[in-house]
Amino acid sequence: MTTLLIVDDHPLQRMGFRMLVESQPDLVVLGEADNGADAVRRATELGPDVVLMDVRMPGVDGIEATRRIIAAGGRSRVLVLTTFDLDEYAYAALRAGASGFLVKDAQPEELLAGIRVVAAGDAVVAPKLTRRLLDRFADQFPVEGEDEPSASAERLEVLTEREREVLTAIGRGWNNTEIAERFHLAESTVKTHVGRILAKIGARDRVQAVIFAYNTGLVAPDGH
């Protein structure tokens, strides 16, 4: 079972998310919060697999709440939901440590798929949005644990040639199916490569892998 905490300051929105989530046999809602401060407290108490996080809330907003939840070092991953498809919100959410970013008018199946992807340790951000964000903000994204330029080079050196190719493809916004077709691999093999790459470079999820690919020069800001 994948457990969730739903965070939104609108009761009807929370109820809608809860009804959708609880219609699925593999998903369960552990609790709700109507503001960022309460979200941080409840995430600590409940330890959900995924926090569905609204951005615009009174007091502590969703971006700051995400930052605090991730900084606490718990097991929860954050999927940010917003009414506004703005680069600045997505950028702020990902910089704060969110594993995904979706707009609230996404189709129900998109949201459910996003929850499962994030719970599995991957990231859910549309490739075109990822590329758009990084083209615009790549030089501002931090790389976790990076305290000197040589650290990235050292982490690149431990990758095999195939892993470098897959990481470059990830940096270009390709999904696993596209990578599998490009390199004539089974999707299960691609997933294995992605898992090993994340472990070797110390990335939490696919979004951080994309950022790493940009910051190490594997992928240029124009996506090449």
Side-chain angles (χ1 to χ4, degrees):
M1 295 291 286
T2 294
T3 58
L4 291 97
L5 172 65
I6 297 174
V7 184
D8 198 292
D9 61 334
H10 293 97
L12 285 177
Q13 189 77 72
R14 294 198 306 274
M15 182 174 68
F17 287 143
R18 179 183 279 272
M19 290 175 63
L20 175 63
V21 167
E22 293 189 336
S23 71
Q24 305 298 301
D26 60 327
L27 305 178
V28 61
V29 177
L30 295 182
E32 300 178 8
D34 61 5
N35 62 77
D38 195 37
V40 175
R41 180 181 63 81
R42 302 225 71 195
T44 300
E45 290 176 353
L46 301 173
D49 296 311
V50 178
V51 179
L52 286 184
M53 182 73 76
D54 187 22
V55 170
R56 301 182 71 178
M57 295 181 290
V60 177
D61 66 16
I63 304 300
E64 178 58 27
T66 296
R67 186 176 296 109
R68 294 181 189 180
I69 289 171
I70 299 304
R75 61 193 298 271
S76 301
R77 293 177 177 271
V78 180
L79 175 56
V80 170
L81 303 174
T82 179
T83 309
F84 306 96
D85 181 16
L86 296 177
D87 289 350
E88 288 79 4
Y89 282 155
Y91 165 70
L94 298 177
R95 186 177 175 115
S99 293
F101 178 90
L102 289 175
V103 179
K104 286 183 180 178
D105 63 2
Q107 294 298 311
E109 57 269 22
E110 289 182 81
L111 176 57
L112 293 172
I115 290 169
R116 294 184 176 106
V117 167
V118 168
D122 208 337
V124 54
V125 182
K128 69 175 184 178
L129 175 58
T130 302
R131 186 171 301 152
R132 198 171 79 211
L133 284 171
L134 289 170
D135 285 348
R136 182 171 177 186
F137 298 119
D139 61 337
Q140 300 176 47
F141 273 105
V143 177
E144 284 193 1
E146 196 82 348
D147 44 24
E148 57 180 78
S150 62
S152 291
E154 290 172 1
R155 281 186 279 175
L156 268 182
E157 288 175 2
V158 303
L159 299 181
T160 65
E161 182 177 352
R162 174 64 81 196
E163 287 168 348
R164 281 194 184 214
E165 290 174 338
V166 172
L167 177 57
T168 300
I170 292 172
R172 290 173 177 160
W174 297 6
N175 59 35
N176 286 354
T177 300
E178 292 169 330
I179 295 172
E181 291 174 352
R182 171 67 176 80
F183 297 115
H184 308 290
L185 300 170
E187 280 198 51
S188 58
T189 301
V190 174
K191 290 180 181 178
T192 299
H193 280 311
V194 172
R196 288 175 178 167
I197 290 166
L198 296 181
K200 286 182 178 181
I201 67 175
R204 185 180 59 251
D205 54 37
R206 203 181 189 97
V207 169
Q208 286 202 335
V210 174
I211 295 167
F212 182 87
Y214 269 71
N215 286 348
T216 55
L218 282 180
V219 180
D222 62 359
H224 299 295

